[in-house]
Amino acid sequence: MADEKKVTINNEDGDSAEINADLAAEKISEDIQEEISAGSEFATEVENLKTELAAKNDRLLRLQADFDNFRKRSAKEKMELAAMIEQSFLTDLLPLLDNLSRASEAAEGENSDAETLRKGIEMIKQETISALGKHGLESIDTTDKMFDPNFHQAVGTVQDETKEDGAIATEFQRGYMAHGKVIRPSMVQVVNNS
C-alpha cells in the first residue's frame, strides 16, 4: 500500500479529506465507460428512430399519391357517367323530334285538318311526358291543393267564396320536380277572401 497515492482535499469550511487517487481514477474510468456505452445506445436508438421516421414518411407520400390518383379517377368516372346519362336522355328525346317533324310536315300538306293536328300534338305531349318521366321528372299537382311556398309561387290573389283562404284558384304555369327536388315551382293564383 505504499504505492497508493493519497490526495488531500480541503473544502471551504476548513475540513479536509484524504482520497485514494488510484481508486478515484478507476471510478472516473468506469463512469466514462458507462457514458460511452450509454452514448452508443443513444446513437443506435436515434438511428432506429430516423429509419422509422423515413419509413413513415415514405408511407405518407404513397398514401397521398394513392389519394390523388383516387380523386382523379373519381372525377373521370363522374364525367363519364354524366356523359352516359346525357346520351341516354338525348336518345329518349329523338323520337319526339321525329314526331314533331312529322307533325310539321302534316300541317303543311293539303289534307291537314285541325283535329288530326291536335291529336298528333297531344300524342307528342304524352310521349314527352313519358320520356322526361323516365329521367325522374314529375309534375307538381295543384288541383284542389292549398298553397305551399315549397312547391308553388304565388303570382296573384283572387276572391272566391267557394274556396277557403290559401287554396290554389288557378295554375298559370306547371311546376316540376326531379328526383324529389323542385326544379321549377308552379305559378299559381291563390284565394284570399279577406
Side-chain angles (χ1 to χ4, degrees), residues 82-106:
M84 284 178 24
I85 291 170
E86 188 175 279
Q87 289 171 356
S88 173
F89 180 70
L90 293 173
T91 300
D92 288 341
L93 292 181
L94 289 176
L96 302 174
L97 185 59
D98 295 339
N99 288 336
L100 283 171
S101 297
R102 287 187 200 108
S104 177
E105 290 170 7

Side-chain angles (χ1 to χ4, degrees), residues 29-194:
S29 178
E30 287 176 9
D31 289 347
I32 290 172
Q33 288 299 328
E34 285 179 17
E35 289 293 322
I36 291 171
S37 175
S40 109
E41 289 175 12
F42 180 71
T44 304
E45 187 174 339
V46 167
E47 284 303 316
N48 289 342
L49 289 173
K50 283 181 180 179
T51 304
E52 186 179 335
L53 179 62
K56 289 191 181 209
N57 191 32
D58 183 55
R59 183 169 182 248
L60 176 65
L61 291 173
R62 288 177 190 275
L63 284 173
Q64 191 173 17
D66 286 346
F67 179 72
D68 287 343
N69 290 338
F70 170 76
R71 191 172 36 87
K72 289 174 186 174
R73 189 172 54 249
S74 293
K76 181 181 175 187
E77 288 173 357
K78 198 182 283 188
M79 286 174 41
E80 289 172 354
L81 180 63
M84 284 178 24
I85 291 170
E86 188 175 279
Q87 289 171 356
S88 173
F89 180 70
L90 293 173
T91 300
D92 288 341
L93 292 181
L94 289 176
L96 302 174
L97 185 59
D98 295 339
N99 288 336
L100 283 171
S101 297
R102 287 187 200 108
S104 177
E105 290 170 7
E108 293 174 2
E110 294 176 14
N111 296 333
S112 68
D113 66 41
E115 183 58 26
T116 304
L117 190 59
R118 188 193 66 71
K119 285 181 182 177
I121 291 172
E122 185 61 33
M123 287 173 54
I124 293 170
K125 177 183 169 190
Q126 292 306 318
E127 194 173 337
T128 303
I129 291 169
S130 174
L132 294 174
K134 279 176 49 178
H135 294 278
L137 187 75
E138 57 186 286
S139 64
I140 298 172
D141 184 25
T142 59
T143 309
D144 298 326
K145 302 285 183 190
M146 297 298 286
F147 175 76
D148 182 346
N150 296 313
F151 300 101
H152 312 119
Q153 178 182 357
V155 293
T157 59
V158 66
Q159 288 190 346
D160 185 348
E161 298 300 326
T162 63
K163 296 182 180 179
E164 65 179 289
D165 282 354
I168 295 174
T170 309
E171 178 183 67
F172 293 118
Q173 184 179 51
R174 180 146 317 251
Y176 292 95
M177 296 172 49
H179 304 288
K181 292 188 177 189
V182 175
I183 59 172
R184 183 176 83 185
S186 300
M187 279 196 227
V188 295
Q189 190 173 43
V190 181
V191 174
N192 184 3
N193 291 321
S194 49

